């Protein structure tokens, strides 16, 4: 036989163990699964081998670029499924593989056990076990000297034992098993062909409460353009509500050509400020600040002040230009031009967007535009901004995002990108795959019990849970949901509570806490939208739900179970208008139950099940609980209880169950 | 900017379109999906791009090793899912990729249509469309000359039309659209990184009816060892029952050392023939014939005679040796030896198999043993055997099978391997992935309506349908199912009918048609098993179900719907003892319904639903049907009908529905 064929056979033989159905595996390792620094990350795989031999499996993991792998043992669950859990200690790129090998000594030990139990003779088996141990000592060199010495000591003990039973006892001892597990040869060592990437995020990527406001509307006077200093004055308010991210729509100079007037009208009055999404004017483009907001010094003070108030600033990254953007002059090759020499405006026929033009990303725009856009992000990163809400990423090329996010992570792996892609489901998910840390979601339009249950089950149970982190916005400047237009205050309370307890990331656009719902008739647009004019608000407006906001944010911060997304369970409440669900930590030390009346107009009652079974309790058990709204402790006896939710009182309930034997 | 970075960006940009969730995709292209020559093979993928541009997608496919790809258009289904169907015309290795590109002219056409409908001015758009067409003519060279000429003619027509409306009409014409679809530039052409393999089998891999017999039991006299000539005499019987594969347990010389006696006893009487699975004696091993069966000439005559009776011979490939196998002398390095110098017998502690030893596949057995085993298969292939039933493949290494099957396919891609792996589910599936064309399954132990529904749903709906073809054996020499031990004749009729109509591949071990059920007490073993002695049978034994066997095999051969496996639908019959299901061809020209009473001891009735909706008919429609058992035509009016199945009459029903307007 010729040498190449023999090599081929040896290669085939080295993959003796089947390792498949690795999870998380995002498109065959093409994309990274997401993890949070310091939090458990779970890997599973189907692992099996021909025959009856014992196999041992391990998860290998490391920072991308490191030479050495760390090794975590995997444990067999059932039906050839194996699992390991690791905790990554550093933000950034990591990777893992799965390895498995035949464990000859463990196989020997299992077979001898069975033969012993069956009363079969095992004299030869004793000799075979002895040889296995000896072979390890012969083949291994000094690296594990303590283990080697221990093994040699056990072998001497065997050699000096005349009785077969004594020799067997040493060979079968737990000490021997542990030593051989560490030192034994890894026969038919098989590894996954793929190295699976994991991106480890800082905590805020997975747990954040966003508050959105228009800086120019913060002066308290619709006739005066707000400034960064006005925003600084509002920080105690936002902090008081319990948020930790403060997000602004674009803060750049706004174009004058074709500027939109109030309520998106085609002609602007002379004093209309225009849409902040029409980025760019004589004063500059994406790396400039609207002169009426303030200077870079003002911005720096705002970032610092926000930090002192426990708030991180998030900026909008909107890749579109007003017709006055400096790039059009400087880089005409980044834009589309028509046969008559005019620039091509943004449109989605038959809709036209007269105040903006869009760049194209190919042909002569490579590499100039890509670099310029990356540099915009790095420019704001330099000025203390580490969170970017990206406008309409689904209308820009996926490879561009993958490249840009990769470039930015080389500078700071802690930068967070939120994808505002209210688009088709697969595109939404793909954007998360290419790197977006958070994603806007369909939550904003999921109102019924069935809709919420199905959508949350998809998000928390299906494959996307490994890479997509939804951010549940209750409203945005673009979306004044029909539900809230008609629900009144109880609807705002309910939607807030759902977003903050179902989602680990959630967001509120200012005015929501005031139950603002005035709409353009028949549309999901706000009336007198801040996108087109400066507003002033009474932040103490009667009927506001600021206490509810402060309450849910406190609840989130005080309960570890609310920091996890995929620990959501829907429980049984026998009323289609009541959503009833729970979240708990693995150790049951933090066990929360929530109920929300989804009907803002009527009181609703339901029999519901207290999930005593999660604690291993029988259906007639008594369990201690706290009402988290009132702070009152109480007990439930029996699985079936009744609730009553009057939207005019409060459309939600929150309870904490105390595990039997645990203290409060 | 340096050149490598620019190249990187251009490379990223070339993957602008997302192509994911390709199906079939067996472990990222690691394994081949299976197809049948001449039958439709369906490929689907999620395909989408940023923005609103029209994309066009195609399936590329070819024989492995060919240079050129054939191209089949894909069609958009819904929610970014695309599909194409191809028919492979040759047995052997094939492969496919998925490609997609932006279609600028189709995008232009769609936008102009929308603007036209909205009454917007389109003078500039006309010019832009004209330029797109012109650019094609400029950039493409002579390859598509007829198309080019047609395109030039249309452009001349436009040039000579003074009226904008006329020019638009030509640009928007279907002719122009078709030409531009063929000639238009493929902008941002994106292909899957992976080339997905497909193995195309001959028809029998997907549709076969097996009959198993022990040649040595075919003399009609338990005192006389049967011969190949005795088997030749039985061919008309097997053909009369309608089978197309005739399968024998091993036909090789049988060892004498530790030979098993009747009913698997440890000591054999002098005239006991031994288990044919104890392969190898002085007369030879896997490439020899048991002398009492006949010569190679006799075997050749049998193969030829079988072919004349519409039967293909399948041999057993059992990789194990009696202690007398010549390989033990010739190749001691292929076997395991114990410290006392004795050979290691097969065992699965505490069970011992004293009459066989097993080879090991590693160390010094590479490459000699692998080649020897491959050569055994090629040896019998040379003698006309193209189907191998492989004994216990799950106790031999997976890479070995992948290699061996690949080697044999280089000689004859039409060789069929059936995996006899009654083992854990993931190993069962992995063997199918590495190449086995058919697989024994759990059907043999699935008896209740729930068990059958769940298992068949898994096999016909889950990913395994792309690579695993179960062969539903009702019994085997090793499995005398408990259900049949107690069911009497109606149970045999029901299990036969289920296997033959649910499975495209199914098998019967001789004696089943005689309702043989004598068992070792409390075990799934036959009493006086043919594995250990020569039997003689009365093939006309009273109570036999030979007419049922002939009927189901005729049904299978006459109805195209029974040649497909994944077209199975379970329908509603309101009785847990009645399984009710259907199969139909895509064009509805062959639409079959089946009902089986799973209770062999009691008559069962049920209201059931005639699936009028599959024909688009209302619930009160009338439909023509044939009773396939009696041959009687009749009609049903209304969706709900009633059936009665008396096991003492016949435990199954088969109907054919006639599509409205179709002839019988």
């Amino acid at each position: 036989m010729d040498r190449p064929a023999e090599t081929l056979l040896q290669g085939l033989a080295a993959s003796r163990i089947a390792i498949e159905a690795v999870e998380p595996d995002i498109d065959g390792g093409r994309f990274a699964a997401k993890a949070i620094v310091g939090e458990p990350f779970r890997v599973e795989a189907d692992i099996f081998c021909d025959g009856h031999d014992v196999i041992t499996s391990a998860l290998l993991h490391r920072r991308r670029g490191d030479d050495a792998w760390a090794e975590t043992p995997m444990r067999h669950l059932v039906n050839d499924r194996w699992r390991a859990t690791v905790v990554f200690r550093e933000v950034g790129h990591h990777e893992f593989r799965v390895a498995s090998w035949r464990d000859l000594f463990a196989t020997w030990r299992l077979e001898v056990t069975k033969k012993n139990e069956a009363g079969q003779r095992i004299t030869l088996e004793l000799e075979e076990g002895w040889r296995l141990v000896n072979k390890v000592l012969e083949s291994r060199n000094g690296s594990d000297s303590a283990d080697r010495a221990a093994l040699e000591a056990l072998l001497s003990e065997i050699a000096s034992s005349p009785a077969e039973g004594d020799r067997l006892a040493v060979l079968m001892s737990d000490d021997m098993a542990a030593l051989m597990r560490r030192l034994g040869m890894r026969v038919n060592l098989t590894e996954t062909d793929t190295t699976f990437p994991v991106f480890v995020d800082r905590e805020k990527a997975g747990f954040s409460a966003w508050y959105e406001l228009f800086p120019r509307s913060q002066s308290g006077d619709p006739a005066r353009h707000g400034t960064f200093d006005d925003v600084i004055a509002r920080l105690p308010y936002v902090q008081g509500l319990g948020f930790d991210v403060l997000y602004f729509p674009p803060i750049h100079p706004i174009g004058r050509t074709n500027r939109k007037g109030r309520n998106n009208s085609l002609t602007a009055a002379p004093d209309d400020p225009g849409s902040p999404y029409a980025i760019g004017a004589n004063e500059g483009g994406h790396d400039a600040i609207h002169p009426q907001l303030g200077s870079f010094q003002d911005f720096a003070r705002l970032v610092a002040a926000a930090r002192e108030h426990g708030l991180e600033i998030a900026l909008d990254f909107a890749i579109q230009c007003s017709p006055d953007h400096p790039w059009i002059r400087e880089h005409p090759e980044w834009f589309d031009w028509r046969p008559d020499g005019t620039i091509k405006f943004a449109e989605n026929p038959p809709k036209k967007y007269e105040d903006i033009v869009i760049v194209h990303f190919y042909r002569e725009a490579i590499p100039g535009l890509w670099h310029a856009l990356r540099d915009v992000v790095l420019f704001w990163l330099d000025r203390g901004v580490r969170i970017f809400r990206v406008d309409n990423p689904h209308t820009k090329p996926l490879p561009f995002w993958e490249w840009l996010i990769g470039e930015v992570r080389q500078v700071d792996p802690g930068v967070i990108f939120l994808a505002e892609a209210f688009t088709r489901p697969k595109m939404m998910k793909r954007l998360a795959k290419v790197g977006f840390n958070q994603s806007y979601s369909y939550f904003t339009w999921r109102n019924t019990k069935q809709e919420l249950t199905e959508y949350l089950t998809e998000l928390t149970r299906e494959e996307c849970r490994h890479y997509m982190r939804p951010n549940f916005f209750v409203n945005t400047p673009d979306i004044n949901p029909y539900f809230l237009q008609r629900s009144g205050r109880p609807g705002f309370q309910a939607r807030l509570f759902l977003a903050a307890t179902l989602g680990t990331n959630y967001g509120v656009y200012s005015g929501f806490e005031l139950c603002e719902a005035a709409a353009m008739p028949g549309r999901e647009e706000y009336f007198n939208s801040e996108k087109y004019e400066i507003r002033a608000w009474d932040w103490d407006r009667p009927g506001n739900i600021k206490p509810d906001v402060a309450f849910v944010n406190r609840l989130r911060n005080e309960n570890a179970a609310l920091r996890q997304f995929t620990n959501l369970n829907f429980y049984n409440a026998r009323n289609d208008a009541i959503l009833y669900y729970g979240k708990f930590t693995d150790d049951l030390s933090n066990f929360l139950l929530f109920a929300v009346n989804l009907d803002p107009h009527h009181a609703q009652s339901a029999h519901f099940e207290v999930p005593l079974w999660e604690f291993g309790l029988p259906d007639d058990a008594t369990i201690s609980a706290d009402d988290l709204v009132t702070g009152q402790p109480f007990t439930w006896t029996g699985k079936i209880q009744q609730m009553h939710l009057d939207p005019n009182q409060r459309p939600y309930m929150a309870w904490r169950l105390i595990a039997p034997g645990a203290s409060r």
Side-chain angles (χ1 to χ4, degrees), chain A residues 23-24 39-44 59 83-86 96 466 586:
Chain A
E23 190 180 7
E39 291 191 10
F41 179 79
R42 177 187 286 178
V43 174
E44 294 188 1
L59 177 68
R83 175 188 295 170
T85 301
V86 286
F96 70 86
H466 295 305
D586 281 349

Side-chain angles (χ1 to χ4, degrees), chain A residues 197-435:
Chain A
V198 182
F199 190 79
V200 180
D201 271 305
R202 62 184 172 117
E203 201 198 3
K204 197 159 272 172
F207 185 73
S208 61
W210 293 47
Y211 186 78
E212 174 175 7
L213 59 75
F214 282 74
R216 70 187 184 188
S217 285
Q218 306 310 314
S219 72
D221 174 0
R224 184 171 74 74
H225 196 286
T227 65
F228 289 144
D229 279 324
D230 292 321
V231 176
I232 290 174
R234 301 257 0 266
L235 293 175
Y237 174 95
V238 182
Q239 181 183 35
L241 291 178
F243 292 102
D244 51 30
V245 176
L246 179 60
Y247 150 54
F248 308 143
I251 58 171
H252 315 299
I254 295 170
R256 278 161 192 84
T257 305
N258 295 342
R259 176 178 283 190
K260 293 294 181 79
R262 293 173 184 233
N263 285 316
N264 201 21
S265 58
L266 280 175
T267 48
D271 60 338
D272 280 345
S275 162
Y277 288 92
I279 295 170
N282 282 335
E283 297 87 349
H286 285 76
D287 54 3
I289 291 174
H290 192 291
Q292 290 179 278
L293 285 173
S295 66
F296 279 102
Q297 286 75 8
D298 298 333
F299 185 75
R301 275 193 299 110
L302 169 56
V303 169
R307 192 176 301 128
E308 281 163 23
H309 287 81
L311 287 160
E312 201 173 326
I313 299 295
L315 285 192
D316 210 307
F317 184 43
I319 304 181
Q320 55 200 30
C321 300
S322 95
D324 308 322
H325 197 291
W327 281 347
I328 299 173
R329 271 192 329 274
E330 297 162 8
H331 298 286
E333 74 278 13
W334 296 354
F335 297 86
D336 283 323
W337 301 88
R338 311 207 57 187
D340 64 351
T342 61
I343 196 164
K344 190 170 165 64
F345 284 85
E347 57 179 350
N348 183 12
K351 280 191 271 184
K352 291 165 178 269
Y353 305 95
E354 299 85 354
D355 62 339
I356 51 170
V357 301
I358 50 172
V359 295
H360 71 77
F361 286 80
Y362 289 82
R363 306 192 302 275
E364 305 80 10
I366 295 179
L369 173 70
W370 294 41
H371 287 180
L373 291 168
R374 173 198 60 191
D375 292 344
V376 165
V377 174
L378 297 179
F379 177 90
W380 292 105
L381 178 57
D382 266 352
R383 278 145 193 87
V385 179
R386 299 178 77 212
I387 307 182
F388 296 88
R389 176 271 199 194
V390 177
D391 189 71
N392 278 337
H394 56 292
T395 60
K396 287 89 193 171
L398 292 157
F400 165 73
W401 291 120
E402 189 168 10
W403 172 83
L404 178 132
I405 293 171
E407 290 276 297
V408 173
R409 282 179 178 166
Q410 285 187 26
V411 178
D412 181 351
V415 175
I416 294 170
F417 294 91
L418 164 63
E420 187 248 9
F422 289 120
T423 181
R424 307 196 303 279
K426 288 165 187 171
M427 174 57 91
M428 202 178 246
K429 288 177 179 167
R430 181 84 172 194
L431 286 161
K433 287 183 189 176
V434 304

Side-chain angles (χ1 to χ4, degrees), chain A residues 378-562:
Chain A
L378 297 179
F379 177 90
W380 292 105
L381 178 57
D382 266 352
R383 278 145 193 87
V385 179
R386 299 178 77 212
I387 307 182
F388 296 88
R389 176 271 199 194
V390 177
D391 189 71
N392 278 337
H394 56 292
T395 60
K396 287 89 193 171
L398 292 157
F400 165 73
W401 291 120
E402 189 168 10
W403 172 83
L404 178 132
I405 293 171
E407 290 276 297
V408 173
R409 282 179 178 166
Q410 285 187 26
V411 178
D412 181 351
V415 175
I416 294 170
F417 294 91
L418 164 63
E420 187 248 9
F422 289 120
T423 181
R424 307 196 303 279
K426 288 165 187 171
M427 174 57 91
M428 202 178 246
K429 288 177 179 167
R430 181 84 172 194
L431 286 161
K433 287 183 189 176
V434 304
F436 280 91
N437 312 72
Q438 295 187 1
S439 309
Y440 280 61
S441 76
Y442 302 133
F443 169 79
T444 317
W445 298 275
R446 296 293 179 270
N447 294 304
T448 68
K449 183 171 182 171
Q450 188 183 345
E451 286 168 357
L452 286 163
T453 307
E454 282 177 6
Y455 190 48
L456 267 297
T457 300
E458 175 189 333
L459 293 176
T460 60
R461 293 282 190 273
E462 295 187 7
E463 195 206 25
C464 60
R465 75 187 188 279
H466 295 305
Y467 58 82
M468 186 162 97
R469 296 199 193 94
N471 189 324
F472 289 164
F473 266 76
V474 289
N475 68 331
T476 79
D478 293 314
I479 307 163
N480 177 2
Y482 291 126
F483 177 82
L484 294 178
Q485 293 181 26
R486 294 182 288 252
S487 73
R489 187 172 181 272
F492 284 80
Q493 290 174 296
R495 295 295 298 174
L496 166 79
F497 192 80
L498 290 167
T501 56
L502 292 169
T504 43
N505 301 299
Y506 90 106
V508 159
Y509 158 50
S510 65
F512 180 89
E513 73 273 35
L514 309 180
C515 302
E516 173 65 24
M520 299 293 282
R523 303 189 48 199
E524 277 193 326
E525 283 276 334
Y526 283 101
F527 181 65
N528 290 342
S529 165
E530 289 182 297
K531 286 192 292 184
Y532 310 105
E533 62 188 274
I534 293 169
R535 298 284 303 269
W537 300 94
D538 171 7
W539 300 110
D540 294 314
R541 195 157 93 178
N544 72 66
I545 60 164
K546 292 193 295 181
D548 301 271
V549 177
F551 168 67
V552 293
N553 282 332
R554 183 167 55 77
L555 209 60
R556 287 165 53 87
N557 287 321
E558 290 176 354
N559 288 281
L562 285 173

Side-chain angles (χ1 to χ4, degrees), chain A residues 92-112:
Chain A
H93 296 282
H94 290 68
E95 55 195 18
F96 70 86
R97 302 172 71 96
V98 173
S100 186
W101 56 89
R102 288 199 306 138
D103 188 331
L104 298 190
F105 189 77
T107 303
W108 172 89
R109 197 169 186 256
L110 181 68
E111 294 191 352
V112 169

